[in-house]
Amino acid sequence: MARMENGRQSMDTRSIRTISSSRMDDESSLGSDSEINGFTSDRQTDKYGFIGGAQQHTEESAQDLPPQVLRQRELKWLDMLGHWDKWMIKRFNKVRPKYKRNNTKQRGALVAFSVRLRCQKGIPPALRGRAWLYLSGGKVKKEQNQGKFQELDSQPGDPKWVDVIEKDLHRQFPFHEMFVSRGGHGQQDLFRVLKAYTLYRPEEGYCQAQAPIAAVLLMHMPAEDAFWGLVQICEKYLPGYYSPGLEAIQLDGEILFAVLRRVSPLAFRHLEKHKIDPILYMTEWFMCAFSRTLPWASVLRVWDMFLCDGVKIIFRVGLVLLKCMLGTREKLKACQGQYETMELLRALEPRYMQEGFLVREILEVPVTARDVERENYTQLKRWKKNRGELNFKSPPRMHGARVVLLSEPPRRQDLQQNPTIVLEVPQPTPQLKKKDRSFKKKGSIKKSQPVVEIPNPYSLPNDPAPPLAGPQAPPPPAGNKSPEAAPQTDTEPPRQQPAPPTEPPPAEESPLQQSTQSLSSTEQDTYL
């Protein structure tokens, strides 16, 4: 049966549904050692790392930004990550109007001055992994549990879960270059993350829907960061989804169906008429966070908003798809029964999953976190009345990154950005040190004491006498031989000039005398 996976119609569902299939392992050449050593010429890798046309709708739906806009967004995100606690507390949902050139407000336009609006615009690809870790609270969790992942990674793990995890490794995005190799670094890291979680939460163990979540995180961050991101998603964003019995996902299915009645009455009546339970079509959507349903460009945008605003984004995406596929009478004419309706929901139309269209529709759906919690209270009350108490009591759900941050206030050192690549800076050369000293010396000349002049030891008889002490005086005018030109001090009377020679002074100055006059200027250096 054909189905859509990341915008690609997969004809062989055994690689997804079956736990163990030796025949598929023998026949599948993708990921074999011969294939890894050298790809064929017709296989190309897109910008997301998928090989061989696995993302055939991605190129059409992706919105490429100009490099200048991308650089500006990167600078903004770097500033936010450097002051994360201030942005999350004071500017998480802050907006300001956009002004035109004539300083008038542009109607309906807002500047992305908040974390929420910048996540809705899309996180820059170069910073997406770091931003996801900060949004989910995985950064704080990692810093508060130093060495915990290494401790779990060194343990052998429960053999029951280890066998199941090993059988699921090659099914997670087999067309991605990171996971295409059997036993490669991608599958090894995925095994480490999933095994560590079974040791971290032994009461939950392992669920097959956790593998795509961990694989998406591993595409953007190291294994340790992906582990803490998975912990936060399973405990804060989607609590109880992967517990035994899957009671939380069933409860959210009832919430989705109840909210659909208000958003799209036609789709609600059609599903109710044919008695199609939400668990039949929304399980993979919600448990995998649409990572196996939408084109990859749309997956990344949905995850940007999901980790910022919480599970309400997942509800909105499901409502948009149900409304687009079953929200008109023309659509309902093509599916007259339960089987046709399920086939229609399995093969979603690509135009409804395009990045631009989907993001616009998600932002227009009138469903808030308060609506989800109100309906959750109603459905939980009905569940207890009809089925009794829940067997697995999950922790309360956190709606967004700000609530996660406030629930566990971080320390300042928990939010510091640790460099992943450390370069050894070479020691400065002595020449550089000398230049630095000279620069400091030049800068301190303004505040230094005035320099006492050194008398010229080779002065001529007709040169003025140098001052003994005190501040520097201006030079006497040329040809002035009077003793009044000598500088005076407050403590001593001026010294008299020695008597000149008997010969009369010349009428005009010779070039030699002019040169001696220049040598006895205010800058009387020892000149030989």
Side-chain angles (χ1 to χ4, degrees), residues 153-173:
D153 189 27
S154 61
Q155 300 178 16
D158 191 347
K160 176 182 64 175
W161 299 123
V162 168
D163 294 340
V164 179
I165 292 172
E166 289 178 346
K167 293 176 182 178
D168 285 344
L169 293 178
H170 68 279
R171 302 189 183 97
Q172 312 310 321
F173 304 103

Side-chain angles (χ1 to χ4, degrees), residues 251-252 254-255 258-259 315 369-385 390 397 399:
L251 193 62
D252 278 0
E254 299 298 331
I255 297 173
V259 178
F315 278 97
R370 183 174 298 179
D371 298 334
V372 174
E373 284 302 314
R374 186 185 301 115
E375 195 61 41
N376 179 69
Y377 176 78
T378 303
Q379 296 300 329
L380 184 60
K381 188 176 180 180
R382 185 177 302 174
W383 178 290
K384 293 180 180 179
K385 182 179 178 180
L390 296 174
R397 180 156 45 193
H399 291 275

Side-chain angles (χ1 to χ4, degrees), residues 309-364:
D309 286 329
V311 76
K312 74 176 183 181
I313 299 298
I314 304 297
F315 278 97
R316 288 183 181 184
V317 178
L319 293 171
V320 168
L321 296 180
L322 290 174
K323 180 181 178 181
C324 292
M325 298 302 296
L326 302 174
T328 60
R329 299 188 181 277
E330 290 76 11
K331 295 284 185 181
L332 297 180
K333 290 179 180 179
C335 47
Q336 298 294 330
Q338 183 179 14
Y339 177 79
E340 292 81 5
T341 303
M342 290 301 301
E343 285 297 310
L344 188 65
L345 293 178
R346 287 194 183 101
L348 301 173
E349 295 186 23
R351 57 175 177 163
Y352 298 134
M353 299 185 293
Q354 289 184 359
E355 177 185 355
F357 174 83
L358 184 62
V359 172
R360 287 193 302 268
E361 292 295 322
I362 290 172
L363 298 178
E364 293 178 0

Side-chain angles (χ1 to χ4, degrees), residues 23-37:
R23 179 182 177 186
M24 183 192 66
D25 295 347
D26 296 337
E27 294 178 356
S28 177
S29 62
L30 183 65
S32 62
D33 294 337
S34 60
E35 196 78 13
I36 299 308
N37 293 333

Side-chain angles (χ1 to χ4, degrees), residues 147-197:
K148 185 65 176 179
F149 176 74
Q150 288 77 9
E151 176 187 350
L152 298 174
D153 189 27
S154 61
Q155 300 178 16
D158 191 347
K160 176 182 64 175
W161 299 123
V162 168
D163 294 340
V164 179
I165 292 172
E166 289 178 346
K167 293 176 182 178
D168 285 344
L169 293 178
H170 68 279
R171 302 189 183 97
Q172 312 310 321
F173 304 103
F175 292 96
H176 193 275
E177 61 180 356
M178 186 174 180
F179 303 102
V180 70
S181 174
R182 292 177 181 267
H185 71 281
Q187 293 192 7
Q188 290 179 7
D189 289 344
L190 182 60
F191 174 79
R192 294 170 57 203
V193 171
L194 296 176
K195 184 201 71 172
Y197 187 82

Side-chain angles (χ1 to χ4, degrees), residues 279-318:
I279 199 70
L280 297 177
Y281 54 83
M282 55 83 61
T283 304
E284 188 179 59
W285 291 357
F286 278 51
M287 296 187 71
C288 300
F290 291 95
S291 60
R292 303 182 69 142
T293 306
L294 302 175
W296 200 249
S298 303
V299 170
L300 298 179
R301 294 292 300 277
V302 168
W303 275 55
D304 292 345
M305 295 183 289
F306 164 60
L307 294 176
C308 178
D309 286 329
V311 76
K312 74 176 183 181
I313 299 298
I314 304 297
F315 278 97
R316 288 183 181 184
V317 178

Side-chain angles (χ1 to χ4, degrees), residues 268-283:
F268 172 81
R269 287 196 295 266
H270 179 79
L271 294 173
E272 187 181 34
K273 174 183 176 181
H274 296 286
K275 298 180 179 180
I276 301 177
D277 294 332
I279 199 70
L280 297 177
Y281 54 83
M282 55 83 61
T283 304

